[in-house]
Amino acid sequence: MRHRTAGSNTRGRLLLTGKHLLLLGLSALMIFPLVLTVSTALKSGHDVKVNPFGLFSSFSTENIVRAWTVGDFGSYVVNSFLLSVPSTLLVVVLSTMAGYAFARLPFAGRSLLFYLVVLGLLVPFFTYMIPLYFQLRSMGLLDSLLGVNLVLASTGLSFGTFFMRAFFSDLPVELDQAARLDGASEWQIFLKVMLPLVSSGIGALAVFTFLQNWNNFLVPLLYIPSGEYRPLTTGLYLFLGGRSIDIGPLAAGTLITILPVVVLFVAMQKQVTQGFLSGAVKG
Amino acid sequence: MTTGATAEAAAPEQEETPRRRRPWRTIKAGTPRVTRKAQARLGVFMVAPLVAMVAVFLLLPMVNAIYYVFVDFNGFDPDPPWIGFSNFTELAQDPDVWAAFKNNVIWIVIGTSAPIVFGLGLAVLVWNVRRGSVLYRIAFFLPFMLPQVAVGVVWGWIYEPSRGWLNRVLETVGLGSLAKGWLGDPDTALYAVLGTAIWATVGFVFVIFLSALRNVDVDLVDAARLDGANAFQRLRHIILPQIMPVFLMVTTITLLGGFSVFDIVFVMTGGGPAGATEVLGTYAYSSAFQLNRISYGTTLALVITVISIPFAVWMNRLQRKLSLQGMGA
């Protein structure tokens, strides 16, 4: 297939260069809104008033400082972590355990339970969000860290279980048979033999779930009505409603909201993409 | 079945792939009763916390949703009156519901086709690029990862009437007459929000197509090229048939997302101006939480789910049929 003359080779190289130029242009277009955010967030107060969207025409950290203190983004950051970290841990631990059981431990009623869990993948959160509000109210879980963490976790559990089950199913049967002959208990087989083999899956699930919870807007909007423990997403929305003319601090608040996402995604691009791919392909 | 199991046990060397997973029945036949009991006990123990969470935070509210639909609940009344199907009949006659539904349909059609066209185009472009493909993947996928509130804020500035970049670019290229307040004009608001959603979704479609393209037979594409097929013909007749199951899967996901769109509309326009961008999701939210019409909002949310189910089932069936054909070939 590769009988190419010198002439078509140069032509191929030119074509490739053109392709790269096109792709670079499109990439720049895609990340332009991010560039705009950084630029406006780092402007001086005067420059924001005169020329809010001119790119990098001045430099100052005053917007960041104002968003952090006056705009309360400092406490929103803390709340975002308080809502994302425990719920992510809960998803990872429960999904890994259940995924293992659904993949490798036969027990009565297993497939029925699995179908119930998968139901969570089919029914959007939207369908039951309103009754859930009143349920949480009567359980005393509205406006509480515990309640919102539990709800956030429950929105990720179905996917997590599905995801981890696929990893455990792919491991060879000979593994646990050998461990059993060596006298390992069922729990030891899970903990010492199987768990280390799916660590890449656990990593992908953790990053993916954390980002989902960090980005979640509807859950804190609905279930933290008083505003105690308000995270970055609803905090930014509140700021937008109250002071949309205050473009400088608003840009800084936006930057604070997206910065952890951008850093985590760029650092763990492979794991995040894997999470999405398997979620989409198997879901 | 037993013969199958013994045959496999008797001649394990004849297996083509030694690490192939054996059927479950084989495991059970070879597992002593003590082990099976221990496995069942541990299995129940490991599933229990998950099942408890799913029961309380998923199944219970779902059952409650069905109850809410048949009563008139205002959020406070502990014993709301039973009203049968009144919520449904009111819904069917509510012009605002139909207006919102129309916006959802527009959203589904444009918000599904545009990301698929752009995402597929980008994936084909990046397909055989070796150097820098990670860079492109990050640039294209990043928008999809961002919280939609932040996305809404920034795109609000891009659409801003006097100093926004969209109008500035239009003026620069001599189309200044088209400049307007994109989100404030009822004629353009929905499409402006859609534009933002498309920007955010393209990367998702792109990444999935790119990974599907890895399984496409490159020799076949080269052969078609030598036979004189142009780029579009190669895409249409050689590449697309091979990635059809993935194509349908992506379509299903984006299409279903179009039924329950909420965040981006809520943040960018809140359904306005004058209801121009109201979708079923924002309408259900405002009915329940701003007008205290809990039951009406719940009914609307339930209806959204119910009308989306046939699409999901149909797509899923088509996809399964196609991927089975793919395995046979």
Side-chain angles (χ1 to χ4, degrees), chain A residues 150-208:
Chain A
L150 287 175
V151 172
L152 280 173
S154 73
T155 59
L157 277 175
S158 295
F159 170 75
T161 305
F162 208 69
F163 184 72
M164 290 316 297
R165 178 176 169 264
F167 275 89
F168 284 118
S169 303
D170 284 345
L171 300 176
V173 193
E174 288 79 3
L175 268 179
D176 39 335
Q177 284 168 348
R180 211 166 281 130
L181 286 178
D182 288 344
S185 74
E186 289 301 322
W187 175 252
Q188 283 170 329
I189 293 174
F190 165 67
L191 210 62
K192 302 236 171 84
V193 181
M194 300 296 180
L195 208 51
L197 294 174
V198 296
S199 54
S200 71
I202 293 177
L205 179 65
V207 180
F208 177 81

Side-chain angles (χ1 to χ4, degrees), chain A residues 19-20 27 30 33 37 53 106 126-128 134-135 137 169 180 186 215 217-218 222 265 269 273 276 280, chain B residues 21 24 35 39 56 58 61 75 128 131 136-137 142 144-145 147 149 154 165 199 207 249 262 281 289 305:
Chain A
K19 195 187 252 188
H20 272 296
S27 303
M30 286 299 276
T37 312
F53 307 127
F126 206 75
T127 318
Y128 57 90
F134 296 96
Q135 185 186 325
R137 195 177 69 179
S169 303
R180 211 166 281 130
E186 289 301 322
N215 287 348
F217 173 67
L218 202 47
L222 290 171
F265 172 67
Q269 183 259 135
T273 325
F276 270 103
Chain B
R21 209 153 47 85
W24 184 73
T35 310
Q39 282 186 332
V56 175
L58 189 75
N128 52 10
R131 276 158 63 190
Y136 299 136
R137 201 181 306 193
L142 193 53
F144 183 69
M145 286 318 304
V149 192
V154 183
W165 273 93
W199 169 78
V207 163
M249 184 252 321
F262 177 83
F289 293 105
T305 309

